[in-house]
Amino acid sequence: MPHFLTLHPFLRPTHPPPPTGVFNDQGVSDLGRLVYHVTLPALLFVNIISEVTVARLLVLWKLPAMALLHVSSGYLLAKCLTSFFRIRGIGNKAVTLSLMFGNVGSLAIAVIDTLCADEPLASEVGPACGLKGVEYISFYLITQTILMFTWAEEIVKDGKGDEEEDEDED
């Protein structure tokens, strides 16, 4: 037994290091950008382009307007709440972005597809239920996505509130 303990470090097989994954952190970040900046908008436009007519636009214009109203009111509500509760720095940004943009994204498309397969929507709206639902959701999400990658990115990049949090901690 003592010989085994002495020779053990020399007898153990050498194994290659375990794999660390296919993508590093930068690769994952780049894939995320690809999905949100290219594939999600492409999916939304493909879902609605076949149904867009002038008559439909007269009905659908309300959805981007409501998305803009939703995001703007979330911003104003966040400013009021973060001022009242004196939330500063990264907490201010988190509250603001959470109230401006819900964390559901295109989940509504899956929900409407499921609802359109069941009664009463299946019989009352008919076979076009899913397509119309996706069209409505897509018009809303297109506006929300544009605002998310313009206004929200500016809020995240803005370093103005970050210094206040550092000063409070000292």
Side-chain angles (χ1 to χ4, degrees), residues 59-135:
V59 174
L60 295 173
W61 72 268
K62 298 170 192 162
L63 294 166
M66 293 306 294
L68 181 61
L69 179 65
H70 170 219
V71 172
S72 299
S73 64
Y75 179 79
L76 293 174
L77 179 61
K79 288 299 160 194
C80 292
L81 291 174
T82 55
S83 288
F84 181 76
F85 290 109
R86 296 185 180 134
I87 300 171
R88 307 245 187 285
I90 194 74
N92 182 324
K93 292 177 183 181
V95 169
T96 301
L97 294 173
S98 296
L99 289 174
M100 289 173 71
F101 304 100
N103 191 21
V104 293
S106 57
L107 179 63
I109 293 173
V111 171
I112 199 68
D113 279 341
T114 303
L115 291 175
C116 284
D118 293 330
E119 294 299 328
L121 290 178
S123 61
E124 289 182 21
V125 180
C129 176
L131 189 57
K132 284 183 181 179
V134 169
E135 179 184 23

Side-chain angles (χ1 to χ4, degrees), residues 5-74:
L5 292 177
T6 310
L7 295 175
H8 176 67
F10 301 108
L11 296 177
R12 74 177 171 184
T14 58
H15 297 288
T20 58
V22 177
F23 297 107
N24 61 13
D25 290 341
Q26 183 62 41
V28 171
S29 175
D30 292 343
L31 282 175
R33 287 188 181 140
L34 175 71
V35 167
Y36 285 113
H37 289 282
V38 177
T39 58
L40 180 60
L43 173 68
L44 295 177
F45 282 114
V46 165
N47 279 329
I48 63 167
I49 199 67
S50 63
E51 293 295 314
V52 175
T53 63
V54 174
R56 300 288 299 146
L57 286 175
L58 293 174
V59 174
L60 295 173
W61 72 268
K62 298 170 192 162
L63 294 166
M66 293 306 294
L68 181 61
L69 179 65
H70 170 219
V71 172
S72 299
S73 64

